[in-house]
């Protein structure tokens, strides 16, 4: 069995990823451990996400937590790319309203202000040109000797609705109320039942690709 630390302090994410991998890998192939489980034994410090791409940031986290724990580490970085904005908000998705700076706002306030900024910046852009995608990059660092982490990228395609058409929907978080899901663009990702979003999402796509890579590393 391969023990992998998952670069998250959130126990729910450990459960969610364990459940996804359980459906894709042989029984007991891997065991995911959260940072919180290790914090009782080790002092772990969070690295700054200073990269210019999702790949850079996921890699920084995977390599750094491996350095601190000596274990294999799986880390992810995600966000929204809008074509008409040259790929922004990209790596600063969670703090787009403050140009990527942490300004002491809670998640709800940030999500609202981020969404307003996106809608304002797309003023006058036609529906066809409002294409966007959620991206999730997962990085796996395979121990202290591993200089380059293994990277996979999952995407979830859609477009940003027009003002008046969106925001819509009570599920999800972040940009979900603005994001009309391709190819029909009838529902926002905040209107999808959580189970459905979990099948279609960028995180699910990245997890499937990572499970393929992990499967190829298993003995036998
Ligand atoms: P994180 O790396 O998972 O924290 O995601 C970074 C930011 O990207 C979040 O704070 C959201 O603003 C945005 N984001 C990532 N995934 C989603 C999603 O599934 N729905 C809506 N927003 C998302």
């Amino acid at each position: 069995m391969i023990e992998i630390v998952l670069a998250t302090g959130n126990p729910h994410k450990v459960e969610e990823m364990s459940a996804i991998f359980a459906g894709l890998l042989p029984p007991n192939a891997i065991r995911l451990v959260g940072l919180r489980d290790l914090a009782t034994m080790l002092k772990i410090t969070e690295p700054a996400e200073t990269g210019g791409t999702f790949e850079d940031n996921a890699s920084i986290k995977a390599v750094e937590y491996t350095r601190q724990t000596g274990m294999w580490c799986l880390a992810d970085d995600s966000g929204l790319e809008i074509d008409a904005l040259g790929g922004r908000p990209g790596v600063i998705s969670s703090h787009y309203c403050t140009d990527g700076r942490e300004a002491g706002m809670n998640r709800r306030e940030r999500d609202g202000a981020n969404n307003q900024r996106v809608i304002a910046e797309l003023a006058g852009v036609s529906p066809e040109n409002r294409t966007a995608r959620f991206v999730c990059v997962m990085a796996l660092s395979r121990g202290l000797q591993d200089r380059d982490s293994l990277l996979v990228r999952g995407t979830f395609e859609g477009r940003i609705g027009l003002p008046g058409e969106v925001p819509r929907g009570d599920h999800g978080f972040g940009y979900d109320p603005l994001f009309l899901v391709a190819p029909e663009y009838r529902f926002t990702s905040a209107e999808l039942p959580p189970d459905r979003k979990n099948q279609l999402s960028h995180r699910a796509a990245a997890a499937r690709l990572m499970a393929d890579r992990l499967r190829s590393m298993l003995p036998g």
Side-chain angles (χ1 to χ4, degrees):
M1 180 191 293
I2 309 174
E3 274 213 327
I4 303 175
V5 56
L6 191 66
T8 179
N10 180 343
H12 297 296
K13 278 205 176 173
V14 179
E15 263 174 45
E16 184 189 314
M17 283 298 294
S18 300
I20 294 176
F21 283 139
L24 298 168
L25 293 171
N28 300 323
I30 64 163
R31 188 168 90 89
L32 295 181
V33 182
L35 290 172
R36 277 213 194 148
D37 302 322
L38 300 175
T40 51
M41 295 171 280
L42 289 172
K43 179 169 163 21
I44 296 178
T45 30
E46 203 178 319
E49 295 180 34
T50 51
T53 63
F54 298 116
E55 278 77 2
D56 288 345
N57 281 338
S59 236
I60 287 171
K61 287 185 270 188
V63 169
E64 179 55 22
Y65 287 125
T66 285
R67 195 187 65 72
Q68 293 186 36
T69 63
M71 293 171 69
W72 287 32
C73 177
L74 181 63
D76 74 355
D77 197 44
S78 66
L80 177 70
E81 282 180 356
I82 302 175
D83 295 321
L85 301 181
R88 279 184 285 127
V91 288
I92 60 166
S93 288
S94 50
H95 296 94
Y96 191 44
C97 56
T98 49
D99 293 322
R101 284 184 305 277
E102 174 62 69
M105 297 162 90
N106 66 34
R107 184 179 266 278
R108 233 179 114 89
E109 291 165 342
R110 260 184 5 233
D111 285 353
N114 289 339
N115 288 2
Q116 272 180 13
R117 177 167 181 183
V118 161
I119 289 291
E121 289 185 338
L122 289 175
V125 178
S126 66
E128 303 71 49
N129 290 323
R130 298 168 80 93
T131 46
R133 71 205 49 78
F134 285 120
V135 177
C136 174
V137 170
M138 286 187 185
L140 179 70
S141 163
R142 289 152 296 173
L144 292 165
Q145 311 306 322
D146 195 7
R147 298 218 153 244
D148 304 304
S149 41
L150 187 156
L151 293 164
V152 295
R153 169 179 274 239
T155 56
F156 181 23
E157 298 287 333
R159 66 188 186 202
I160 304 302
L162 293 166
E165 187 181 27
V166 297
R168 249 168 42 209
D170 300 321
H171 300 299
F173 66 102
Y175 300 93
D176 282 325
L178 305 185
F179 187 81
L180 296 169
V181 177
E184 279 123 6
Y185 311 111
R186 283 178 55 207
F187 300 107
T188 68
S189 45
E191 290 176 304
L192 294 178
D195 286 359
R196 186 72 188 128
K197 184 181 167 199
N198 290 342
Q199 290 166 340
L200 298 176
S201 80
H202 45 310
R203 264 179 293 281
R208 282 192 290 268
L209 291 169
M210 187 54 82
D212 288 344
R213 307 298 289 269
L214 283 167
R215 202 177 305 109
S216 71
M217 288 175 217
L218 296 174

